[in-house]
Amino acid sequence: MPAGARRDTAPAPATDDVPVRGRSLPRAGPRPRSPVILLLVPACAGLLALACLASVLWSGLAERPVALAFGVLVALGELTRRAGAEGREAAPLAAAGALAYALLGDIAGRPTHHGVAQTVTVVLAASLLGSVPCIARGGGPVLEHLARRVLTVAFAALCFQPLSGRGAFRDWSGPAYALLLIVLLALSTLCDAVLAAAPAHARTGWPFGPLLREELRGMAGVTSAVCATGAVMALAVAVAGLWALPVLCVPLLLTQLSYRRYAAVRATYRQTIASLARATEIAGYTPAGHARRVAELSCAVGRDLGLSGAELTVLEYAALMHDIGQLSLVDPVPAGATAGLPAAEQRRIALLGGAVVRQTGVDAAVAVVVERQADPCREQPVAARIVRAVNAYEEKTRAAGPGGGLTALEELRLATAGDYAPDVVEALARVLSRRGGAARERLG
């Protein structure tokens, strides 16, 4: 989740009745926290940047060729930023260069003296310069990205530069020095994950622990390459000088290109699944937008329950294709509402849907969820429980008409324990409450 896009921000039409009529859901969960928390990270980054800039203007820029070289590297890294990227690190080359400058203690055997303030100032100035094209085309949350970059680099530099300037690491060599850099980079990565998860927790109200775990899981990919490249850059420049920078940029650029192609394949894969899901709508078996609404709400409930990124992906695909078994029916179910059918008929449609999913070549885990969505909830995996409850809520809300969201939710709560999992229903109530509160703020 990067740190990454939130699929749960667009409320389903079924939930719009809650805010419009000014009614609150019973036994609702906690609301998102104050917007002040969302401003805390940018405010701290801004104050730190101003203090560092003032310090550099007062004392002057030390080792200008080195500062220029790393500044150019960071700016070029921002220029190669992936527009609209969903990953945790959209500009890996810039991140690696910034971390290498923060952990730079020597250049070709000579000690450096740029310090923490100059490190932050150079990285921020270069990042702003390289982000101009991205800002001009409106490509993503640049302010949040820059704030995290400033605070993470400041943390790394603060841990390293004061001690390095006093010669504390002068006798460190070989594996010991490399291990020191790796530890500092790991701590900086943890700092970046916290800075990404905390605003997301305040913005959405999702549990902080799962959000932090998801950020750390996402950093196992390209962020690992960023940290490794930053450490190698700092070590290589310390021995060979600035000529090592362009040589070490090539592997990371190739990694970024490979990641772009992988992301494009994933996007095409998801579009294919979404197109398959629309087959039931085109054939007239289900109402228009039903699969999309169930998928969006299911992912929101899954995130509230703390599912990981991989589990959320399986949940989304299964929710999109949960009704595909209806294509095998001779007589369509009225309005595609399967929640009111007998249990045996629901199970038959689910098994038919699972068979169709397996033939499409989609992940077998998706087929399992589709197949087991009609089983007793105690025997279902969590994803199947979520799809079953959300699908029933969407169908009941649609059948009840305006103001039917509360009625549908109470029907799910009053159903027998074998129909819908209580923890899933309560998570659904929390999600609907948060969406209702956000919409009430917009209307007010």
Side-chain angles (χ1 to χ4, degrees), residues 364-434:
V366 177
V368 170
V369 175
V370 173
E371 288 172 343
R372 301 188 62 184
Q373 61 177 312
D375 292 353
C377 70
R378 290 185 296 272
E379 303 173 8
Q380 292 175 313
V382 175
R385 296 179 185 181
I386 295 173
V387 173
R388 179 186 178 91
V390 172
N391 175 65
Y393 170 80
E394 213 278 335
E395 291 179 357
K396 292 177 183 294
T397 302
R398 186 175 65 246
L406 292 172
T407 303
L409 189 60
E410 283 306 309
E411 288 183 13
L412 295 184
R413 279 174 168 156
L414 295 174
T416 59
D419 290 336
Y420 308 107
D423 59 332
V424 173
V425 176
E426 293 308 313
L428 175 60
R430 291 192 294 270
V431 170
L432 296 174
S433 177
R434 281 192 288 264

Side-chain angles (χ1 to χ4, degrees), residues 70-284:
F70 278 94
V72 170
L73 177 62
V74 172
L76 288 177
E78 289 292 343
L79 288 174
T80 60
R81 159 185 293 274
R82 293 177 289 124
E86 296 183 2
R88 269 74 180 171
E89 184 52 69
L93 183 59
L99 290 173
Y101 191 46
L103 301 178
L104 186 65
D106 296 289
I107 300 178
R110 294 178 289 104
T112 60
H113 306 90
H114 52 279
V116 178
Q118 180 169 317
T119 300
V120 173
T121 302
V122 170
V123 168
L124 178 59
S127 298
L128 285 172
L129 182 62
S131 299
V132 170
C134 184
I135 296 173
R137 60 176 180 261
V142 178
L143 177 61
E144 182 178 347
H145 159 75
L146 290 178
R148 285 172 51 192
R149 173 69 54 76
V150 166
L151 293 176
T152 302
V153 168
F155 175 81
L158 191 61
C159 291
F160 180 82
Q161 290 296 333
L163 295 175
S164 177
R166 291 196 293 266
F169 307 129
R170 185 61 52 198
D171 297 331
W172 293 47
S173 60
Y177 190 72
L179 181 60
L180 170 67
L181 296 185
I182 292 173
V183 170
L184 291 178
L185 286 169
L187 292 175
S188 301
T189 300
L190 179 60
C191 173
D192 185 55
V194 172
L195 292 174
H201 169 64
R203 184 168 51 246
T204 65
W206 306 132
F208 177 76
L211 284 173
L212 180 59
R213 287 197 300 270
E214 182 59 23
E215 288 292 335
L216 293 174
R217 286 194 192 100
M219 289 178 174
V222 70
T223 307
S224 300
V226 168
C227 292
T229 304
V232 173
M233 278 184 180
L235 291 170
V237 171
V239 175
L242 295 176
W243 292 106
L245 288 180
V247 176
L248 295 173
C249 289
V250 176
L252 194 56
L253 287 173
L254 294 176
T255 301
Q256 183 175 350
L257 179 61
S258 301
Y259 191 84
R260 281 184 178 180
R261 294 192 175 186
Y262 172 72
V265 170
R266 282 181 60 91
T268 303
Y269 183 68
R270 187 187 181 282
Q271 291 171 1
T272 302
I273 291 177
S275 299
L276 288 171
R278 292 189 65 244
T280 57
E281 301 174 11
I282 296 172

Side-chain angles (χ1 to χ4, degrees), residues 3 5 18 29 32 53 77 83 138 144 161 166 207 209 264 268 282 294 314 333 357 403 439:
V18 176
L53 178 61
E144 182 178 347
Q161 290 296 333
R166 291 196 293 266
T268 303
I282 296 172
V294 171
V314 171
V333 178
V357 172

